[in-house]
Amino acid sequence: MTETTRRARGGGGAARRAARTAVSFETAKYIERNIPNFEVLSEEALVIIETNAEIILEEVGVNFPDNPAALTRWRDAGADVQGERVRIPKGLARKLIKTAPSSYPQHARNPDRNVVVGGNNLVLAPVYGPPFVRDAAGGRRYATMADFRKFVKLGYMSKWLHHSGGTVCEPTDVPVSKRHLDMLLAHMTLSDKPFMGSVTEPSRASDSVAMADVLFGGLEDRTALVSLININSPLTFDSVMMGALEVYAAANQACIVSPFIVGGAMAPVTVAGTLTQVAAETLAGIAYSQLVRKGAPVIMGAFVTSIDMNSGAPTFGTPEAAHISYGVGQLARRLNLPYRSAGSFCGSKLPDAQAAYETANSLNMGLLAGVNFMLHACGWLEGGLVSSFEKFVMDADQLGTLHHLAKGVEIDENAQAMDAIREVGPGGHFLGCAH
């Protein structure tokens, strides 16, 4: 009995010592908004856009190339399938998406880092996808796996980031066929925040699910991954992205179904026209996820930028992009779906004043638009070509401002400060006031 007791106490002491010496960083809870969303579209405008989107789906249709299984699913659901073109009867897509959850939890290795996507919540995740990195010492260069690991560590250390993200940079020193394994391992071992899966090939999506299953000791239908499924705008759902979506939806893992919009190039130049195309594409993509598995978690996404019609370069932090992001937020809420948009967007090649202006515009717009999942929330540079270490740190610090803004204005007895105003009276000052 004595020996057993001593062993138990020794084990407890070892656990306490391990906890004391473990490296851990404070992470703020995901944002829970206490402010109203900013809405730019009237009820009449929303009805027009929704109606036009369904007309596009029924009359123009969408393409599902090189994907016979998808065409079969659509045909069985009642769509008109001619070759690779799928025309969706009015009301069918809206009916199908009703099974998608309005919010869902994403589980992290550390349960204290779990997030809830949807409702009034905002989850912040870092930059995604750039092939280059930049820092003060090495300048602009191709990203490596060492850079990737450093970004994951920075994300873990950042108080205001709730999510580890996915491809925080593209490590070009590792073969494409296996780099997703190294990237996932980095997220799993260097951070305990939620993370994203691979989408560059359906088998890599399967690998992501299998690795998460090992990490969590069996997923058991828990959602532990979210993945970015880009629509090949206009109106095309390529087999690689849809193959990854099929894997994740079948496993009850979340997908961000997101048109990749460059206004004037891949969508109409007008705000209303772009909103119509975004609505049509997301309706079709989300409906397809529910054909794969009813109830599969999904986020309605919109990556929106405009184009300089003289140079062809993408532009960021513009009022057109803001109008579209506000409008898609309204559409997502009417469909009762979580919403992804915005980020630390800028077109500058350096973390300079231009980068700061454009990023501030984009971040604040995302908060006010009602975004629930903000990818690219820190580190974005040069139109998304570069992940910047310096800008990552500066952006991550600014995310704390979003947390405070989202709290709104307190109006309790202490906040009213009536006692302090009485105490100081006319002509005094509040520096020594007890309040």
Side-chain angles (χ1 to χ4, degrees):
M1 179 68 71
T2 303
E3 183 177 340
T4 303
T5 303
R6 285 175 180 169
R7 284 179 179 172
R9 291 172 63 188
R16 287 190 293 274
R17 284 192 297 275
R20 284 195 299 269
T21 58
V23 177
S24 182
F25 295 90
E26 180 185 3
T27 297
K29 186 181 179 182
Y30 53 85
I31 292 174
E32 296 174 286
R33 283 184 186 81
N34 195 33
I35 58 175
N37 297 312
F38 185 67
E39 300 190 340
V40 296
L41 299 176
S42 66
E43 176 66 21
E44 179 185 11
L46 288 165
V47 170
I48 289 172
I49 289 167
E50 291 170 336
T51 300
N52 288 345
E54 293 212 83
I55 291 172
I56 289 173
L57 291 178
E58 187 170 44
E59 296 182 5
V60 180
V62 294
N63 275 5
F64 277 77
D66 305 316
N67 195 338
L71 299 176
T72 298
R73 287 190 177 100
W74 277 117
R75 188 179 291 110
D76 292 345
D80 175 23
V81 179
Q82 302 292 332
E84 295 178 339
R85 184 68 59 91
V86 177
R87 292 178 173 85
I88 305 170
K90 183 178 180 180
L92 177 58
R94 296 176 73 89
K95 176 183 176 183
L96 290 171
I97 69 171
K98 287 182 178 179
T99 58
S102 59
S103 66
Y104 69 91
Q106 184 183 352
H107 295 267
R109 180 163 66 88
N110 178 353
D112 291 338
R113 306 280 195 261
N114 291 355
V115 297
V116 177
V117 181
N120 289 323
N121 302 336
L122 171 56
V123 176
L124 300 169
V127 63
Y128 182 106
F132 300 100
V133 297
R134 176 181 284 277
D135 60 24
R140 186 184 191 268
R141 64 184 187 279
Y142 278 107
T144 66
M145 196 62 219
D147 294 318
F148 186 96
R149 294 190 182 101
K150 190 182 296 184
F151 274 117
V152 173
K153 292 176 184 178
L154 277 175
Y156 174 57
M157 296 169 66
S158 299
K159 176 180 178 179
W160 307 113
L161 272 180
H162 318 116
H163 204 281
S164 193
T167 309
V168 287
C169 63
E170 193 72 49
T172 58
D173 59 337
V174 182
V176 173
S177 60
K178 67 178 291 290
R179 71 175 60 151
H180 65 290
L181 303 173
D182 293 331
M183 291 190 288
L184 284 164
L185 184 64
H187 283 298
M188 291 176 176
T189 57
L190 301 177
S191 175
D192 61 4
K193 296 179 181 180
F195 56 91
M196 302 177 72
S198 175
V199 297
T200 53
E201 211 276 332
S203 67
R204 294 166 200 159
S206 297
D207 290 342
S208 303
V209 173
M211 290 180 70
D213 191 67
V214 172
L215 178 68
F216 286 89
L219 287 173
E220 299 172 348
D221 274 350
R222 289 177 296 174
T223 300
L225 294 167
V226 61
S227 298
L228 178 59
I229 305 298
N230 279 319
I231 297 167
N232 192 357
S233 302
L235 304 171
T236 300
F237 297 77
D238 70 81
S239 59
V240 173
M241 287 284 105
M242 289 303 100
L245 178 146
E246 290 159 8
V247 170
Y248 287 121
N252 202 45
Q253 304 305 301
C255 289
I256 306 168
V257 178
S258 188
F260 193 97
I261 297 294
V262 180
M266 295 146 70
V269 73
T270 62
V271 170
T274 297
L275 283 168
T276 300
Q277 183 179 311
V278 168
E281 291 178 346
T282 52
L283 275 172
I286 294 169
Y288 182 64
S289 75
Q290 301 306 297
L291 288 178
V292 175
R293 174 172 175 158
K294 290 182 179 180
V298 66
I299 302 173
M300 181 173 174
F303 176 87
V304 180
T305 182
S306 51
I307 192 171
D308 185 320
M309 301 304 286
N310 290 318
S311 68
T315 57
F316 296 92
T318 61
E320 293 84 3
H323 283 150
I324 294 166
S325 297
Y326 291 134
V328 178
Q330 290 181 256
L331 294 168
R333 288 188 289 276
R334 286 165 70 90
L335 295 171
N336 204 27
L337 293 169
Y339 175 39
R340 171 258 165 158
S341 193
S344 58
F345 298 145
C346 67
S348 178
K349 292 179 171 59
L350 295 170
D352 56 10
Q354 177 192 343
Y357 293 145
E358 293 173 348
T359 294
N361 287 344
S362 300
L363 290 176
N364 282 289
M365 173 269 293
L367 177 68
L368 296 176
V371 169
N372 300 117
F373 188 89
M374 188 189 292
L375 197 56
H376 310 301
C378 60
W380 172 289
L381 195 65
E382 201 177 324
L385 288 174
V386 172
S387 293
S388 165
F389 288 101
E390 289 87 357
K391 190 164 182 291
F392 189 106
V393 174
M394 291 189 291
D395 291 343
D397 181 64
Q398 287 301 303
L399 298 180
T401 301
L402 299 191
H403 283 73
H404 195 78
L405 282 171
K407 290 180 181 178
V409 178
E410 294 182 1
I411 199 67
D412 59 16
E413 184 175 350
N414 181 64
Q416 293 173 44
M418 292 299 292
D419 290 342
I421 295 171
R422 290 190 182 99
E423 177 185 337
V424 172
H429 63 76
F430 291 82
L431 297 175
C433 180
H435 179 266

